[in-house]
Amino acid sequence: MAIALAFTAPSMALAKPEPLTFGARLDRARATLRVDAGGLHGPGAAVIADAVGHARYVLLGEDHFSREIPSFTTGICRIMAPSGLSALAVETGPEATVFVNDALRRPDRATRIAAFARAHPDVMAFQNGRDESDMAAECARLAGRRFAIWGLDQEFFGATGYLLERMRAARPGPKARAAIERLALLDRAMTAAARASGSPADLFVYTVTDAQMAEAGGHIARDGGARVSAIFAALAETRAIFLGQSTDAFASNAQRARLMKRTLAAHLAAGPKASRVLFKFGDVHMAKGINALGQRDLGNFVAERAEGDGTASLHIAVYGAKGVHAVYGGVGRPVRHDPFVLTDDPDYAWLKDVVTTPASDDPRQDWVLIDLRALRAKPPRDMPPAWKTATQQYDLLVVAPELTPSSLLGAP
């Protein structure tokens, strides 16, 4: 009998359980959470808190301009702040962000930003949103005095007048000052035309000529000084990126990604070595690897930087299952409202596996968390390709049951 057992034991050891299907793995990776003014709650919140605790950089790839995702972002700030949150990096231009930081802790913050946006329509992206601004201010309160907003993007297409004001304030020489005044005169006329039409195509960055820019650039190079030259270079690169979207979008997106990486690298070099940074950008920018635009974008740069420094990054995609999008409404105009169902968009149809299956008994309030890390190793043979891509680009996936639109400060 003992001999028989000796021979049968190896065959028993070789027996392997059947691998779990994708659906079964997905169910195991799923949790619920709730988001409110007090932060994140529930089983999913515990997963997020643990993951955030191990990361120096936390990157939120979002669906823009809702009320709910800024609330989720504030919840992440609550988790990060006690262990040192240095900055919130956003999809806004650096020069416009100077104004945002100056207003950030003032009691009349919203009023100041509204007046700024009325004076310079489309001067910035996102940080003139009411919920975005409230979120940034609350993160600043939670994180303390050393916290700042880092604007990493090109300036927005309505920023020219503000940039020219910044150039004049930097005390250029007479030739540069005269050139700046000529550009400012052009900008005032072009901005007036854009206000009347509502079309960004009438703004300075789209209508000024190469010859006009080159002439001004020559004078600024002679006696503008370093600060004026730097702001003019930012204006020129902003213009190139926006114009490039209609001539060579791939090259334009690559230029934009390089700009954001350079700006981030400068911030990191100037800050404390242990800086913890929260990023909030569109989902395409926060992905690891090659993104949907065919670029190694900011998210991939941060992931590689973190690994090279011996630290970690955490990449979280945040969407809404349905709701109303706030859509750009024109120069100096309020946003438009556009109802949506996430999975009606072919790019997000793969999420039907999440949004069509209730995560709890109260899907109207509960958000869904999918821990993509649990699906990454030894992916099931029946895993759809889009899900496999998601596990490579992001670590966590969060879906709100519904998104409602935010509004612009300073809009009519």
Side-chain angles (χ1 to χ4, degrees):
M1 187 67 177
I3 295 173
L5 286 173
F7 280 99
T8 57
S11 62
M12 292 170 60
L14 291 174
K16 294 182 179 179
E18 285 293 319
L20 292 176
T21 64
F22 169 66
R25 289 273 294 272
L26 185 62
D27 284 342
R28 288 190 175 189
R30 182 193 301 257
T32 60
L33 72 150
R34 293 195 179 185
V35 180
D36 60 28
L40 313 183
H41 314 281
V47 175
I48 291 172
D50 179 71
V52 169
H54 289 88
R56 177 176 173 185
Y57 306 115
V58 178
L59 297 85
L60 305 182
E62 66 162 356
D63 187 352
H64 285 311
F65 223 71
S66 71
R67 299 177 63 197
E68 289 73 21
I69 294 177
S71 181
F72 176 82
T73 306
T74 304
I76 300 295
C77 285
R78 287 185 180 278
I79 297 170
M80 296 182 74
S83 56
L85 175 60
S86 301
L88 171 66
V90 295
E91 206 168 331
T92 305
E95 293 297 331
T97 305
V98 172
F99 186 93
V100 172
N101 276 311
D102 182 64
L104 191 58
R105 293 175 174 84
R106 295 176 182 266
D108 59 347
R109 164 187 49 83
T111 301
R112 284 173 175 265
I113 293 176
F116 182 51
R118 283 193 294 269
H120 302 289
D122 292 330
V123 67
M124 69 176 86
F126 306 119
Q127 281 300 305
N128 60 333
R130 186 175 303 278
D131 292 277
E132 296 294 321
S133 184
D134 289 347
M135 174 268 296
E138 180 62 9
C139 287
R141 187 190 69 79
L142 292 165
R145 298 301 303 177
R146 293 186 177 182
F147 173 90
I149 307 296
W150 291 355
L152 304 185
D153 212 349
Q154 82 273 10
E155 302 298 333
F156 206 38
F157 44 56
T160 304
Y162 173 63
L163 297 179
L164 293 170
E165 287 180 4
R166 302 276 289 170
M167 290 185 216
R168 285 195 296 264
R171 300 180 182 275
K175 292 185 181 298
R177 176 171 287 277
I180 292 167
E181 293 297 344
R182 287 192 291 272
L183 293 183
L185 185 63
L186 288 173
D187 175 68
R188 285 193 290 272
M190 294 166 179
T191 300
R195 283 184 189 270
S197 69
S199 173
D202 291 328
L203 289 168
F204 180 99
V205 296
Y206 293 107
T207 54
V208 69
T209 66
D210 291 343
Q212 289 167 325
M213 287 291 288
E215 180 188 12
H219 292 304
I220 287 169
R222 289 188 184 92
D223 67 353
R227 177 67 178 139
V228 173
S229 295
I231 300 173
F232 184 77
L235 173 59
E237 187 155 24
T238 291
R239 177 175 178 263
I241 289 170
F242 280 116
L243 291 177
Q245 285 294 304
S246 60
T247 57
D248 187 345
F250 183 85
S252 173
N253 290 328
Q255 182 178 9
R256 184 183 177 193
R258 290 193 299 271
L259 170 64
M260 292 192 289
K261 293 172 189 178
R262 292 198 312 270
T263 307
L264 174 60
H267 276 295
L268 293 175
K273 289 185 178 180
S275 296
R276 297 192 76 203
V277 184
L278 174 60
F279 296 75
K280 185 174 184 289
F281 284 70
D283 63 339
V284 71
H285 302 296
M286 297 287 92
K288 292 177 279 188
I290 304 296
N291 68 9
L293 301 175
Q295 307 294 332
R296 294 192 305 272
D297 216 306
L298 187 63
N300 188 70
F301 178 77
V302 174
E304 296 285 359
R305 172 87 180 225
E307 289 189 357
D309 288 343
T311 59
S313 61
L314 177 69
H315 302 247
I316 308 175
V318 191
Y319 305 115
K322 63 179 181 178
V324 178
H325 279 141
V327 180
Y328 180 74
V331 178
R333 287 158 167 73
V335 295
R336 294 184 293 106
H337 289 175
D338 183 17
F340 76 96
V341 174
L342 182 63
T343 53
D344 285 349
D345 185 331
D347 290 338
Y348 298 97
W350 57 278
L351 281 167
K352 67 182 183 299
D353 297 301
V354 172
V355 302
T356 59
T357 304
S360 72
D361 294 333
D362 194 354
R364 294 171 300 174
Q365 294 189 42
D366 284 330
W367 295 42
V368 179
L369 168 76
I370 304 295
D371 190 341
L372 296 172
R373 300 168 300 177
L375 301 172
R376 189 176 296 153
K378 298 180 180 179
R381 291 181 181 179
D382 63 337
M383 178 184 285
W387 273 98
K388 188 171 183 179
T389 298
T391 67
Q392 294 166 345
Q393 293 185 334
Y394 279 93
D395 302 305
L396 303 176
L397 167 67
V398 175
V399 182
E402 186 170 358
L403 297 183
T404 54
S406 188
S407 58
L408 291 172
L409 294 168

